[in-house]
Amino acid sequence: MVAVREPEDYLEVLQSQRGGFSFELCKRNAHLAKQASIRPPAAMKSGTTICGVQLKDAVVLAADTRATEGPMVADKNCEKLHYIANNIFCAGAGTAADLEHTTQLMESQMELLRLATGTQPRVCTVVRRLSTMLFKYQGYVGCALVLGGVDVTGPHLYQIYPHGSTDMLPFTTMGSGSLAAMSILESEYKEDLTVEEGKALVAKAIRAGIFNDLGSGGNVDVCVITKEGGTIFRNMEKPNERKFKAQYKGFPKGTTPVLKEDILKLCTVESGDVTMSG
């Protein structure tokens, strides 16, 4: 067993921790890992491809629909486009529960702000609140967001990292398939895209993530946000539809033997009156 010497006074403690980090537990952890086969918890890799482009009078967001649980596909058709306000939506990558609760919290706060002020919430308000909240948790709330909206100052597109940093960009991608999606956006994005061209571009970027990243898959969801509001096009493209599906064949009667059969007469009905049997 590794001997751990107790410090005699505060000067020894101070001297041992000079440099800002204490290595006291490193030998203990190595011993536990070697002798007791105790492994520290490993972080799960999350997989997603999300992206967004800013147009002249609109913002278009898109996302895949695969939810993973480590190496397994937990949901083939989950929804990663989240409503925040009529004019503000976001696409989320990271921990599903954190994304769901964080976006619902922002939706609630923006609705209360709208009722209190009587005005439409601005995109920068949501970004500042999300950034402040995520920074407070130092990255432990796993929310990577592509947030877009149209307010009185025009269309805006932001990307928000789990640690709270933000960027305002004309086009952006996030998630494990972001490099494949970014290769499409960087080569084909133009400032004068129409809404239909923007939808086709983000759908192509998400397809690149789906086919080149194991953590991304399923279908393509697209959201178009204008000054009139946002519209989500659920399953706009289905690049991975099953071509062959096994026909359902029911089991024939008698496949499972009946060992015992009891018929219990619990009540009797006479002229509309129900009498319980003892």
Side-chain angles (χ1 to χ4, degrees):
M1 184 67 182
V2 179
V4 179
R5 191 175 74 84
E6 292 289 333
E8 293 182 2
D9 54 17
Y10 76 95
L11 289 174
E12 282 199 9
V13 175
L14 181 66
Q15 191 65 29
S16 67
Q17 296 187 5
R18 289 188 69 175
F21 188 82
S22 173
F23 292 91
E24 287 179 355
L25 299 179
C26 293
K27 289 184 179 180
R28 186 209 67 170
N29 293 343
H31 177 77
L32 288 174
K34 185 178 179 180
Q35 299 296 329
S37 300
I38 297 174
R39 300 289 177 206
M44 277 193 179
K45 179 182 181 296
S46 62
T48 288
T49 304
I50 56 175
C51 68
V53 296
Q54 180 181 325
L55 310 178
K56 184 181 177 183
D57 298 313
V59 174
V60 184
L61 307 175
D64 71 310
T65 62
R66 173 175 289 181
T68 55
E69 191 177 336
M72 295 176 292
V73 177
D75 190 351
K76 293 187 282 187
N77 196 28
C78 74
E79 195 165 358
K80 300 181 184 181
L81 298 175
H82 304 277
Y83 171 93
I84 292 178
N86 286 331
N87 60 318
I88 305 169
F89 286 75
C90 72
T95 308
D98 290 345
L99 289 165
E100 197 74 32
H101 284 266
T102 302
T103 52
Q104 284 178 2
L105 179 67
M106 282 301 119
E107 177 190 350
S108 171
Q109 289 186 13
M110 288 305 105
E111 180 63 13
L112 290 171
L113 182 68
R114 185 188 68 82
L115 293 170
T117 60
T119 59
Q120 193 181 55
R122 292 174 60 175
V123 181
C124 61
T125 306
V126 182
V127 173
R128 174 53 64 91
R129 291 198 183 199
L130 279 170
S131 174
T132 304
M133 190 197 109
L134 293 174
F135 176 74
K136 185 171 66 176
Y137 289 97
Q138 292 291 296
Y140 285 100
V141 174
C143 286
L145 301 169
V146 174
L147 186 138
V150 181
D151 56 27
V152 292
T153 59
H156 302 279
L157 181 69
Y158 290 86
Q159 72 176 14
I160 305 170
Y161 289 92
H163 288 80
S165 60
T166 63
D167 291 319
M168 185 178 179
L169 300 162
F171 61 89
T172 184
T173 64
M174 293 195 89
S176 57
S178 60
L179 294 179
M182 184 57 81
S183 68
I184 299 295
L185 294 185
E186 284 188 339
S187 59
E188 299 188 22
Y189 175 79
K190 295 179 291 186
E191 290 184 358
D192 57 347
L193 290 171
T194 64
V195 171
E196 291 302 318
E197 289 172 338
K199 286 167 63 177
L201 177 60
V202 294
K204 186 176 180 181
I206 296 300
R207 284 202 309 275
I210 286 173
F211 293 127
N212 293 284
D213 172 46
L214 285 176
S216 307
N219 308 318
V220 180
D221 288 350
V222 174
C223 177
V224 178
I225 311 153
T226 61
K227 61 182 179 182
E228 283 80 27
T231 306
I232 293 179
F233 298 91
R234 184 87 166 114
N235 296 343
M236 193 180 93
E237 292 186 9
K238 294 184 177 180
N240 290 309
E241 278 197 291
R242 276 192 183 180
K243 291 189 168 52
F244 305 101
K245 192 174 181 181
Q247 287 186 341
Y248 172 75
K249 294 180 181 178
F251 291 103
K253 204 168 184 180
T255 301
T256 303
V258 179
L259 302 179
K260 185 180 177 184
E261 184 175 330
D262 287 327
I263 299 175
L264 302 176
K265 195 172 182 182
L266 299 176
C267 62
T268 55
V269 181
E270 296 176 1
S271 65
D273 299 327
V274 179
T275 306
M276 299 301 293
S277 299

